[in-house]
Amino acid sequence: MRACFAGVVGVTACGMSWAATLEGQHFDDTVVLGQQKLQLNGLGVRGVAWVKAFVAGLYVTTPSQDAATLLAESGPRRLRLKIMLQAPSSELTKSLLRRVKRHETPESQARLAERLAQFAAQLDGLGELMPGDAVDMDYLPAKGLVLSRNGKAAGKPVAGEDLYRAVLQIFVGAHAIDPRMKQGLLGVPA
């Protein structure tokens, strides 16, 4: 386990494997996605003032503290959100759409429009998010962006690595929604 997790790492209940913990939310060190083992790159909390909405964990094939490297990666990836407060998923959708509109070029927005609308509808379809829910945004090269809630798919995969990259930029890109969350997801010590 990297040194940056020194303050948030704990032993899982079985006592045999390590897992990362932030704000009481537990994340496995590795996951298997599309028959490929992914490693936890980092954890970050999304909050405004004293309200904490979720803890995000980013899983990649090759961990890196460089956002550009992570955004350029072409293999499977997982962005897992562990929900910490009750809220409609439409709030997450609105934030996502606002960020894509703000930070993608008009050309990119035009290319993404139909697929982004499809993904936004799936996200809206999650309904009321509850504390303890796990929302996964996975990228599988052969399928595309796969959304799931608590391990259950929320619709058909939405094609396009460019779409996944646009979503991931919201979390770790140059204009990430929360600089502290970005730092955590990059595994950069505070």
Side-chain angles (χ1 to χ4, degrees), residues 11-84:
V11 177
T12 61
C14 68
M16 299 180 75
S17 64
W18 289 90
T21 302
L22 180 62
E23 297 292 334
Q25 304 300 312
H26 304 283
F27 289 76
D28 292 333
D29 287 337
T30 61
V31 297
V32 176
L33 184 61
Q35 300 180 354
Q36 190 160 355
K37 186 176 183 180
L38 303 181
Q39 298 177 24
L40 183 62
N41 196 75
L43 299 176
V45 65
R46 173 67 177 133
V48 179
W50 65 89
V51 179
K52 295 172 183 161
F54 58 82
V55 173
L58 178 60
Y59 291 89
V60 296
T61 54
T62 306
S64 175
Q65 292 185 344
D66 180 60
T69 299
L70 294 173
L71 289 166
E73 188 173 307
S74 61
R77 286 162 278 175
R78 167 171 283 170
L79 182 64
R80 171 167 279 179
L81 309 181
K82 294 257 189 126
I83 307 301
M84 297 176 68

Side-chain angles (χ1 to χ4, degrees), residues 58 67-68 70-72 77 79 96 99-100 103-105 108 112 161-178 181-182 185:
L58 178 60
L70 294 173
L71 289 166
R77 286 162 278 175
L79 182 64
L96 175 120
R99 287 287 168 169
V100 169
H103 300 295
E104 292 293 322
T105 65
S108 177
L112 295 171
E161 188 171 11
D162 58 341
L163 174 62
Y164 194 81
R165 193 168 287 117
V167 171
L168 191 55
Q169 284 195 73
I170 295 167
F171 294 85
V172 298
H175 305 287
I177 193 167
D178 185 327
M181 181 176 60
K182 173 184 175 177
L185 289 171

Side-chain angles (χ1 to χ4, degrees), residues 122-146:
Q122 290 178 359
L123 199 51
D124 272 351
L126 295 179
E128 196 74 10
L129 297 173
M130 303 299 288
D133 280 349
V135 175
D136 290 329
M137 297 177 209
D138 295 339
Y139 177 70
L140 294 163
K143 293 183 179 182
L145 174 54
V146 179

